[in-house]
Amino acid sequence: MRTERLLLSFLVVVLFSTQVCAQGMRALTLKESLERDVNGPREFADKQFPPHKIIGNLYYVGTGTLSSFLITTPQGHILINSTYERTVPVVRDSVQDLGFRFEDIKILLGSHAHGDHMEGDALVKQLTGAMVIAMDKDVPALEKMRPGGKPHPIDRVLRPGDEVAFAGMTLVAHHTPGHTDGNTSWAFQVQEDGKPYNVVIVGAMGGPDRYKLVENGQLTQVGKDYAASYKLLRSLPCDVVLGSHAKMYNMHEKYAALSMQMANGPGPNPFIDPKGYLIELENTEKEYLYWVEEQKKAEAAKK
Ligand SMILES: [Zn+2]
C-alpha cells in the first residue's frame, strides 16, 4: 500500500514536472524535424480540442491539429482559419462553448491557401456574412478551392505588409511565401493585465521537400522565398508563438500546463514563449536547409 502510494506520488511529480518543463518549444534534432508530422491522424484533425483562452482577447477554437484562432472585440470578432469545410461546425461549437456568438464574426483571415486551413471560408461566409480577406499571391489557389462547387469568397485582397484594422485591433499580414505563394504570417499585439504582448501566427514553413528548391546549383524562386521568409520572421518581435497547426507551437503541452494551473493555482502563462518562437523557426529551417543540400547533391550526381 505504502509503495503504491509512493509510486503514485512519484508519478504525479514526474507528470507535473514534464508538463511544466516540457511545455515550451524544444530544439529538435534534424531527424526529429524531418520526422515530425504536424497533420496527425484524421480523427484527431476532425475532432474538437477544448477551446481555451490563449492570452488577452485571443482564443483557440480549432481541432486537435488544425489551428483556428478567435480574436474577440465588443464590435464583433475576427476568425483566423476556417479549417476544412467539414470542420467548420467544430469551430462554431468551440466559439459558442467559450460563450461567444459565431454570427458575430465580422472578419475571416487565413494562414495559407491549403484546404486544411481555408476550405471552410465559403461556409463561414454563408453562416456569418464576415468579410473574407486574403493575400494576393494566394488568390489563384483559393479560387480553385470550391467545396461542393461553391465559389471561394474574397472581399479584400492584401499586399505584403498590409494591415487589417478592426475595433482597436491591428493585424499585420506578413508575406512569408514558400509553403504557398501567398503564405501569410499574422502579427499583432494583445493586452493582458495592462501589458502588451506580441503575437505571431506563423503561416507554415514546413514541406520544402515538395518543391524544386535548387536548379543548376542555385536556389529557385521557391528556394529563395523560403530563405527570405525565415529572414522576415526572425525580424519580428514575438512573445506568443502560434501556427496554423497546433504542433507548430506545442499547443497540447502548453494546454496541459494551463490545465495543471486550473487544478493547482495560477502560474505564468505557458503560451508566453519568446524563446520558443526562434526555436520553432530553427526546427523548420533545419528541414529546409537539409533539402536544399540533398537537392544540390542529387543534381550533382546526375551530371
Ligand atoms: Zn499547408
Side-chain angles (χ1 to χ4, degrees), residues 112 114 116-117 179:
H112 59 268
H114 281 161
D116 48 349
H117 311 296
H179 187 82

Side-chain angles (χ1 to χ4, degrees), residues 251-286:
M251 184 271 275
H252 293 88
E253 292 80 356
K254 287 174 179 171
Y255 178 74
L258 198 70
S259 308
M260 292 298 277
Q261 288 180 13
M262 284 174 203
N264 299 314
N269 185 335
F271 294 105
I272 300 172
D273 184 18
K275 276 192 200 133
Y277 176 60
L278 297 172
I279 292 172
E280 172 59 11
L281 292 178
E282 250 163 58
N283 286 343
T284 56
E285 193 175 28
K286 236 175 241 176

Side-chain angles (χ1 to χ4, degrees), residues 82-202:
S82 60
T83 70
Y84 285 118
E85 185 170 81
R86 65 171 185 271
T87 41
V88 167
V90 177
V91 173
R92 185 185 52 194
D93 287 349
S94 293
V95 170
Q96 285 165 353
D97 288 351
L98 288 168
F100 301 107
R101 276 163 38 95
F102 195 69
E103 301 75 31
D104 288 341
I105 292 169
K106 303 288 184 212
I107 290 178
L108 175 62
L109 309 174
S111 286
H112 59 268
H114 281 161
D116 48 349
H117 311 296
M118 298 180 75
E119 188 196 66
D121 285 12
L123 182 57
V124 170
K125 171 94 190 172
Q126 201 178 305
L127 294 169
T128 64
M131 177 189 251
V132 185
I133 303 178
M135 183 63 80
D136 53 0
K137 291 274 172 58
D138 259 354
V139 169
L142 289 173
E143 281 173 344
K144 286 188 201 128
M145 212 180 272
R146 292 169 168 258
K150 284 192 280 297
H152 199 103
I154 297 171
D155 301 305
R156 182 182 159 199
V157 175
L158 298 171
R159 303 267 311 139
D162 275 356
E163 292 181 355
V164 172
F166 176 75
M169 294 295 300
T170 304
L171 287 80
V172 184
H174 290 288
H175 183 219
T176 48
H179 187 82
T180 67
D181 287 343
N183 186 47
T184 305
S185 296
W186 291 100
F188 52 97
Q189 274 194 350
V190 295
Q191 305 282 328
E192 172 122 314
D193 299 327
K195 266 197 264 171
Y197 291 91
N198 291 302
V199 179
V200 178
I201 304 175
V202 177

Side-chain angles (χ1 to χ4, degrees), residues 3-24:
T3 11
E4 267 172 57
R5 217 179 290 153
L6 261 175
L7 191 66
L8 191 70
S9 44
F10 173 68
L11 279 176
V12 167
V13 168
V14 168
L15 199 68
F16 181 76
S17 52
T18 49
Q19 279 178 336
V20 167
C21 303
Q23 80 223 17

Side-chain angles (χ1 to χ4, degrees), residues 35-81:
E35 282 171 356
R36 181 166 73 157
D37 172 22
V38 294
N39 295 304
R42 176 165 167 174
E43 318 85 77
F44 209 43
D46 284 2
K47 247 182 89 187
Q48 188 189 32
F49 188 83
H52 54 270
K53 177 177 154 170
I54 299 166
I55 189 167
N57 56 341
L58 173 63
Y59 298 83
Y60 187 83
V61 291
T63 75
T65 60
L66 302 175
S67 301
S68 181
F69 302 103
L70 185 75
I71 299 170
T72 62
T73 88
Q75 280 117 281
H77 315 312
I78 301 170
L79 184 71
I80 301 159
N81 290 332

